[in-house]
Amino acid sequence: MVNRKLVSKALTMQRRKPTVYSTRWAMILCVLLSPFGNINASLASDTNTISAEKTTVINSQAKTSPCYLDGMAEQLQCGQITVAENPAKPDGTQIDIHFAILPAIKNTHPNEALLAIAGGPGQSAVEHAAGFDRLLSKVRQQRDILLIDQRGTGQSNILNCEDSSVTSTLAFDDESIDMIAETQKCLDQTTADITQYGSETALTDFEAVRTYLGYNKLHLYGVSYGTRMAQLYMRHYPEALATVTIDGVVPMQQSVLAIGSAIERGFQLLIRDCENNTACQQQFPELLADFTKVNERLAKSPVTEKVKDPLTNEPSTFLLTRSKFVGAVRMALYTPAVRALLPHAIHQAANEDYQAILGIYALSADGVGLAMGMHASVVCGEDIHRITEQMRKDAKESYVSANMIDGLEQTCEVWKMPPVDDDFSQPINSDLPTLLLSGELDPATPPNWAALAKKQMTNAKHLISPFATHGVAAQTCANDLIADLVNSNSVKDIDASCLEKDIRRSFYLNANTVEPQLAQAAPSTDDDAASQNATGTDKE
C-alpha cells in the first residue's frame, strides 16, 4: 500500500513531461539537487486586468511587470534583461535572463535585497518562489527577495531535452539507455552555444540584474549547487555583497562528483538510526541485509508488476530495475518525511512487495525539474576533469558512484565543454560575514565539505544541525539565523542552540503507522567535521 499523503501533493503539480534522459539523470546522474523537491511553477503576467502594486525597485529606469507565481497568492514583480549569450561577442546572439522580486513587507532597506540561488545544477529559482518565500519569510519582512533564473534554466533560455517517445517513467528500462546517443539527441535539439552556460558566465548575469535593479548590496542565500554560485560571487564581486549564507555546501576545492561517498555515508547513517531506534530495530532487524537482498535480486534481472500509478491511480506497468531501486533510495535520503519510509519500503521490497518503493520512486521520477543541458554544461566544464584516481577507486565499491561517473563521462564525451581554469578550484578567501550550514544526515554535502570551504573565510561560522538532511534552513530554525545574520551583518552573536532540537520524523513501521522517537543522536560540532578527511571520501 502506498502512503498517499506523501504523493498527493504531486497530483496538483504542473510537471514537465518526463523523459528517459531526465529521469535517469535525476535518479542516478544528477549530482546535487536542492531541498525544495519538485515544485514547478508557472509565471504569468497580466498587465491588462491587474494594476501593479508599488514596486520596490529603486532604479526608476528598470522595467518590471506584476505577476503571479504558483504557490503564492499575492502579486509579485517580474522582469527580464537581455544579455549576450557569449559575453565576448556582445553583438552576437542575445538571450533573456528572467527574474522575480518578492517585495519586502515593510521595505526598511530599499537599497538591499536577498538573492536566493537554487540548486541542481539546473533548477529554476523562480519556479521555487513559494519555497524560498517560506524559508526566507523573516528576511522578507524588511528586504526584497530576488530570484533569478540562471541561464539555461526556467525562463532563461532553458537547455532541456524533450523525448516524445516516452509515455511512462514507470515502465521504461532505464538501464538500457544509451547515454551517448541520448546526449547527442539532446544536443541536436538545441541551437544554444552550450559552452556559455557554466557558472562563471552565469554569474555575470546575476551581477547585471543587480545593477539593472539598482540594489547597492545583496545578501546571498545559496543552497546545494547554489553554494558554488554564492562562493563565486564572493570571489568576483565582493563589493556587491553584505552577507552570505551557504546551505549544503559544495567547496570550491573539489569536484561535486565526490558526492558518491556522501551518498554511501547518508545510507549508512539511515542504517545506524534504525539500529539505534528500538521500534525500528525490532520491526526491521536486518535492514542492511534486506537492502542487499533486493539489490542483488535486481542485479540479476528487473522485476515487472502490474500496478496503479501512485500519482494518477491509472493501471500501469512498473519495471523495477536495480538503478531505479537504488536511485529511489538515494532520493528519499534527501527529505526527512520520505527518509522515514525507507526501512519499511526496503523491508517490503525484500519480501517482494514493491508498492512502497513504487510510491517513493514516483515522487522524483519526472526529473525533479532539472534542465539537463544546463546541468551537463556545468558538470562537464567544472567537475568531470577533476575526478581523481581515489574517486575512481572508491567508485568501484559503490553502484551509485560507479554509475554516476560512468554516465557523466559518457555524457561529457558528447557535451563538450572547455574545462575551467585551475584557479577555479582555489578556496574562497573572504572576510564577508558568512554562515555555513550543514546537516549531519545530509546524503549529498556532508559537514566536512563545509569545513573545507571555510578554511580561508576569516569571518565565518559553520553550524551543523544533528538531525537535518540536505538543506538545513528548510528543515530547522536556521531560517531565523539567516535573518539574524542579515539584520546584524555579523556572525559573532548568532545563537545556534535551536539547531539541537530533534526534528527527525518517526520511522514508519508499516504504510500507515509511525513510532515515537526513542533514541537521541549526539549533536555534531564544526570541530568534528573539520577533523574528518575533508575530501568527501570517508565513509562512516
Side-chain angles (χ1 to χ4, degrees):
M1 179 178 180
V2 177
N3 188 300
R4 294 192 178 275
K5 288 183 179 179
L6 293 177
V7 297
S8 61
K9 192 172 184 180
L11 289 171
T12 61
M13 291 179 181
Q14 277 194 322
R15 297 184 296 161
R16 293 192 183 99
K17 185 173 182 179
T19 70
V20 293
Y21 194 58
S22 65
T23 303
R24 170 79 168 163
W25 200 290
M27 302 296 283
I28 293 294
L29 303 186
C30 173
V31 291
L32 289 174
L33 298 177
S34 83
F36 294 119
N38 184 25
I39 306 174
N40 292 317
S42 61
L43 187 153
S45 179
D46 188 346
T47 57
N48 295 321
T49 61
I50 301 173
S51 59
E53 296 177 354
K54 184 178 180 181
T55 177
T56 58
V57 177
I58 61 175
N59 181 357
S60 61
Q61 302 303 311
K63 295 180 179 180
T64 63
S65 301
C67 62
Y68 289 91
L69 302 178
D70 279 1
M72 300 191 67
E74 63 187 294
Q75 184 173 273
L76 309 172
Q77 291 291 319
C78 296
Q80 65 193 64
I81 63 171
T82 300
V83 300
E85 182 179 50
N86 184 344
K89 300 178 179 179
D91 297 326
T93 300
Q94 305 292 298
I95 61 174
D96 292 333
I97 304 299
H98 287 255
F99 60 85
I101 301 169
L102 283 54
I105 305 304
K106 183 179 181 180
N107 199 344
T108 59
H109 296 78
N111 293 325
E112 298 180 3
L114 185 144
L115 171 62
I117 310 174
Q123 290 182 320
S124 159
V126 173
E127 289 179 2
H128 289 88
F132 281 123
D133 183 51
R134 289 190 297 271
L135 189 152
L136 300 167
S137 59
K138 289 198 174 183
V139 175
R140 194 185 167 198
Q141 293 301 308
Q142 297 179 323
R143 292 170 176 82
D144 294 346
I145 305 299
L146 173 61
L147 307 176
I148 303 173
D149 272 349
Q150 188 166 329
R151 59 167 59 201
T153 74
Q155 303 288 322
S156 298
N157 204 41
I158 188 169
L159 295 188
N160 210 4
C161 305
E162 300 295 335
D163 185 351
S164 60
S165 66
V166 180
T167 58
S168 173
T169 57
L170 301 182
F172 83 93
D173 183 357
D174 60 330
E175 293 182 349
S176 67
I177 296 173
D178 183 335
M179 287 303 298
I180 291 178
E182 290 295 330
T183 304
Q184 186 62 57
K185 187 187 300 183
C186 182
L187 183 61
D188 292 342
Q189 291 175 9
T190 184
T191 59
D193 179 355
I194 62 170
T195 66
Q196 299 303 312
Y197 289 79
S199 299
E200 290 185 308
T201 304
L203 183 63
T204 64
D205 302 334
F206 285 10
E207 181 62 3
V209 171
R210 181 194 70 82
T211 303
Y212 175 75
L213 295 176
Y215 294 116
N216 291 339
K217 292 283 186 179
L218 293 178
H219 301 267
L220 297 185
Y221 172 76
V223 58
S224 197
Y225 160 74
T227 67
R228 173 178 288 180
M229 289 298 295
Q231 289 172 87
L232 288 172
Y233 221 136
M234 296 168 73
R235 172 180 289 165
H236 293 287
Y237 302 103
E239 69 284 352
L241 304 180
T243 70
V244 178
T245 301
I246 45 180
D247 185 356
V249 183
V250 181
M252 298 303 299
Q253 297 98 306
Q254 69 181 26
S255 168
V256 294
L257 298 183
I259 192 177
S261 60
I263 297 168
E264 295 296 323
R265 174 185 179 274
F267 180 71
Q268 292 303 320
L269 289 174
L270 172 74
I271 300 297
R272 181 206 68 181
D273 286 353
C274 185
E275 290 176 346
N276 290 342
N277 184 285
T278 301
C280 188
Q281 199 279 329
Q282 289 177 349
Q283 188 76 3
F284 314 114
E286 302 294 336
L287 183 57
L288 182 57
D290 285 345
F291 176 83
T292 302
K293 183 178 181 180
V294 181
N295 198 29
E296 291 178 349
R297 180 192 303 152
L298 296 174
K300 295 177 181 177
S301 64
V303 171
T304 302
E305 288 198 342
K306 295 295 182 181
V307 299
K308 287 191 174 181
D309 189 307
L311 301 183
T312 66
N313 208 35
E314 294 295 322
S316 183
T317 298
F318 181 37
L319 178 69
L320 180 61
T321 62
R322 184 187 186 191
S323 176
K324 286 182 180 179
F325 171 67
V326 174
V329 171
R330 176 204 168 185
M331 300 304 292
L333 292 171
Y334 277 70
T335 309
V338 188
R339 184 181 187 267
L341 262 175
L342 276 176
H344 165 69
I346 292 170
H347 181 70
Q348 291 299 100
N351 292 319
E352 302 186 33
D353 179 350
Y354 303 103
Q355 287 297 309
I357 284 293
L358 166 63
I360 292 173
Y361 172 77
L363 288 171
S364 52
D366 68 346
V368 293
L370 283 181
M372 286 73 63
M374 180 273 192
H375 187 288
S377 288
V378 170
V379 175
C380 295
E382 300 170 15
D383 296 286
I384 201 74
H385 66 286
R386 292 197 279 167
I387 296 177
T388 65
E389 288 306 312
Q390 184 62 47
M391 289 168 62
R392 292 184 188 281
K393 182 179 178 181
D394 291 343
K396 293 178 181 179
E397 302 174 9
S398 165
Y399 176 77
V400 173
S401 298
N403 252 10
M404 181 180 293
I405 289 177
D406 181 62
L408 288 172
E409 286 187 324
Q410 291 182 52
T411 296
C412 295
E413 284 182 28
V414 177
W415 207 269
K416 297 185 183 299
M417 288 289 296
V420 292
D421 295 337
D422 291 343
D423 59 5
F424 182 90
S425 305
Q426 294 301 308
I428 300 300
N429 189 331
S430 173
D431 61 359
L432 285 166
T434 303
L435 182 63
L436 300 91
L437 300 172
S438 297
E440 178 63 28
L441 306 181
D442 192 334
T445 54
N448 60 347
W449 284 29
L452 181 60
K454 179 177 174 283
K455 281 189 176 296
Q456 294 186 21
M457 297 179 184
T458 59
N459 190 16
K461 179 175 286 190
H462 178 203
L463 304 179
I464 304 170
S465 171
F467 307 111
T469 57
H470 191 56
V472 177
Q475 302 171 41
T476 70
C477 67
N479 52 351
D480 296 338
L481 306 184
I482 297 170
D484 291 343
L485 171 63
V486 169
N487 289 330
S488 67
N489 288 315
S490 172
V491 297
K492 182 179 179 181
D493 296 323
I494 290 178
D495 180 4
S497 59
C498 63
L499 290 177
E500 296 179 10
K501 181 180 178 181
D502 192 341
I503 48 99
R504 288 174 296 173
R505 299 297 184 97
S506 297
F507 286 115
Y508 282 79
L509 302 182
N510 54 53
N512 299 299
T513 304
V514 298
E515 45 70 41
Q517 290 289 356
L518 299 176
Q520 295 288 324
S524 300
T525 67
D526 189 31
D527 290 340
D528 293 336
S531 67
Q532 298 174 21
N533 177 356
T535 64
T537 58
D538 10 318
K539 300 181 176 67
E540 291 193 5

